[in-house]
Amino acid sequence: MKISHIEHIGIAVKNLEESIKYYEDILGLKCYGIEEVKDQKVKTAFFKVGQTKIELLETTDPEGPIGKFIDKKGEGIHHIAFATDNLSEALKEVEEKGIQLIDKSPRKGAEGLNIAFLHPKSTGSVLTELCENNSEENK
Ligand code: ZN
């Protein structure tokens, strides 16, 4: 597998609007997109920091993955996402190496990216997302 960069860092927040203020007013970043990912029961807000993004995640359902995460651990860093050139191949490769997968095959995440999660049990407790790098500028 070839990882080109950190695609984004996912941060669980209780209130998207409130958190956006911090990133915009204090850090001076610009939120360029808000999107609901029904599948994951989240509303996301994106900021670009160089080639990497910050993805804020607010749950739309207390029983969703972000709702449960905040319940257990509070707000904070939720996952790290790496960009790779061929996601299906990468998943096959890590599974062969004994990594437990949450997603056995790629699915659609925010921004139309193909994504898959690796289980934190296999990754030193860091929830890890692999994203397929489908943008020419990032290659
Ligand atoms: Zn993500």
Side-chain angles (χ1 to χ4, degrees):
M1 152 166 49
K2 199 177 145 271
I3 285 175
S4 54
H5 62 286
I6 293 176
E7 217 286 328
H8 63 269
I9 295 170
I11 299 174
V13 302
K14 285 182 182 159
N15 183 310
L16 210 57
E17 298 305 315
E18 285 300 309
S19 298
I20 287 172
K21 277 189 208 155
Y22 165 71
Y23 289 90
E24 290 198 329
D25 299 349
I26 307 298
L27 298 187
L29 300 171
K30 181 91 193 82
C31 176
Y32 70 88
I34 292 182
E35 184 185 340
E36 186 171 343
V37 184
K38 289 224 161 76
D39 201 39
Q40 284 296 292
K41 301 186 166 85
V42 288
K43 219 162 81 180
T44 63
F46 280 97
F47 303 83
K48 261 205 156 172
V49 189
Q51 212 180 7
T52 300
K53 297 160 195 159
I54 299 287
E55 174 187 45
L56 302 183
L57 301 148
E58 179 196 296
T59 195
T60 54
D61 178 342
E63 291 304 307
I66 294 299
K68 286 184 184 158
F69 176 87
I70 286 184
D71 238 21
K72 251 168 72 184
K73 299 184 172 170
E75 293 180 298
I77 292 180
H78 177 258
H79 66 273
I80 183 160
F82 297 102
T84 181
D85 44 4
N86 185 332
L87 182 54
S88 307
E89 284 296 309
L91 287 177
K92 223 167 41 185
E93 184 186 324
V94 296
E95 194 172 28
E96 276 166 16
K97 290 178 175 169
I99 299 295
Q100 196 181 328
L101 305 180
I102 292 176
D103 301 302
K104 295 255 176 203
S105 53
R107 61 183 170 81
K108 284 275 177 241
E111 300 195 301
L113 284 181
N114 285 326
I115 62 144
F117 282 96
L118 311 183
H119 201 288
K121 268 186 197 156
S122 298
T123 62
S125 299
V126 178
L127 179 59
T128 301
E129 177 181 349
L130 299 178
C131 298
E132 193 154 67
N133 196 351
N134 61 359
S135 142
E136 281 306 316
E137 65 174 309
N138 286 332
K139 279 188 179 166

